[in-house]
Amino acid sequence: MTRRRALVVRGGWEGHEPVKATELFLPFLRDSGFAVRVEESTEVYADAALMAGTDLVVQCVTMSQITTAQVEGLSSAVAAGTGLTGWHGGIVDSFRASAEYLHLVGGQFAAHPGKEPCARRGGAADNFLPHTVRVTEAGREHPVTAGIGDFELETEQYWVLHDDLIEVLATTTHPARPWQPWQEPVTSPAVWTRRWGAGRVVVTTPGHDVGVLENRQVRTIVERGMLWAARTASVS
């Protein structure tokens, strides 16, 4: 039996621990029957033959740059049936200058609101806020999030800009705090899927570091997202 092929692409800003974060999921992919290839550069996206034979791309590349040929290669592969998934800045804060990439993923990191100014100490924890991830009605039925209840995290809470072509499986709400410039709560998608041609995209916004990815609910969502996004003989 031919094994499906997963391509793990990692790099970009080191603060999101791209190597440690992706290494966390390699055993799961192999145990799930994937032959896994790991690349440290998006150059692989421009290899049309390799991408055509890839069933799943797991991307963890925060910020960084991507060429026109590379993003076209990724987008074309997904449209032809290759799955794409990732978490946090590794998928929704990638390649900020690429409109085509944003169009493919359907959402873009805008902010992670921080603590009250007097409570900030100059480190990453200044942006760690307790918040709730709430599963939507659609999420309760979807294979990626079915059976997962609302859960609490204390980490970066992503505020994302998005379009209407996504199916939102979970949300998180940013309250209006006295030191912030907005005057009413704002709800952002926290987990979503997107159909792109014959391909599937799954985005999970929690995942700032390995500690968050080891959270039981977050890890389950990411792993289920890999399985659901991957190319299948019959897509439903």
Side-chain angles (χ1 to χ4, degrees):
M1 181 178 178
T2 303
R3 303 181 76 192
R4 288 190 291 174
R5 298 176 182 176
L7 173 65
V8 177
V9 180
R10 62 195 186 189
W13 185 60
E14 289 294 330
H16 284 157
E17 303 179 311
V19 173
K20 289 182 179 179
T22 51
E23 292 289 329
L24 184 66
F25 295 101
L26 298 187
F28 172 81
L29 286 167
R30 295 184 176 117
D31 290 346
S32 298
F34 289 93
V36 180
R37 174 172 178 157
V38 179
E39 292 287 338
E40 314 291 338
S41 166
T42 55
E43 291 179 8
V44 68
Y45 290 158
D47 186 333
L50 186 147
M51 294 300 291
T54 297
D55 300 297
L56 174 68
V57 174
V58 179
Q59 180 182 282
C60 185
V61 184
T62 302
M63 295 182 281
S64 195
Q65 303 289 326
I66 194 168
T67 68
T68 298
Q70 290 164 12
V71 74
E72 287 179 352
L74 175 62
S75 185
S76 296
V78 174
T82 300
L84 172 63
T85 192
W87 52 87
H88 204 62
I91 192 166
V92 290
D93 191 20
S94 311
F95 325 127
R96 294 176 178 178
S98 174
E100 185 173 355
Y101 177 80
L102 174 60
H103 199 202
L104 169 65
V105 174
Q108 171 63 50
F109 163 79
H112 42 61
K115 295 177 179 177
E116 188 174 3
C118 66
R120 299 176 189 178
R121 299 293 179 265
D126 288 351
N127 298 314
F128 292 178
L129 296 176
H131 61 277
T132 303
V133 177
R134 293 183 171 86
V135 179
T136 65
E137 290 292 334
R140 293 191 184 101
E141 304 296 328
H142 198 282
V144 172
T145 45
I148 295 176
D150 300 347
F151 59 96
E152 306 295 322
L153 293 172
E154 186 165 355
T155 182
E156 289 182 347
Q157 182 185 20
Y158 264 21
W159 179 321
V160 296
L161 308 179
H162 60 94
D163 64 29
D164 292 334
L165 195 63
I166 64 175
E167 181 176 22
V168 180
L169 306 184
T171 64
T172 188
T173 298
H174 304 268
R177 296 182 171 96
W179 63 90
Q180 303 289 12
W182 55 95
Q183 286 84 45
E184 59 186 57
V186 176
T187 297
S188 284
V191 181
W192 72 82
T193 66
R194 186 175 184 85
R195 303 292 185 115
W196 200 252
R200 296 169 165 184
V201 178
V202 181
V203 173
T204 306
T205 66
H208 175 73
D209 53 29
V210 171
V212 177
L213 292 167
E214 288 177 332
N215 172 276
R216 179 173 57 85
Q217 291 94 337
V218 173
R219 186 165 186 166
T220 297
I221 290 169
V222 170
E223 290 176 346
R224 288 185 184 176
M226 292 175 179
L227 299 181
W228 186 83
R231 188 198 315 269
T232 59
S234 174
V235 175
S236 59

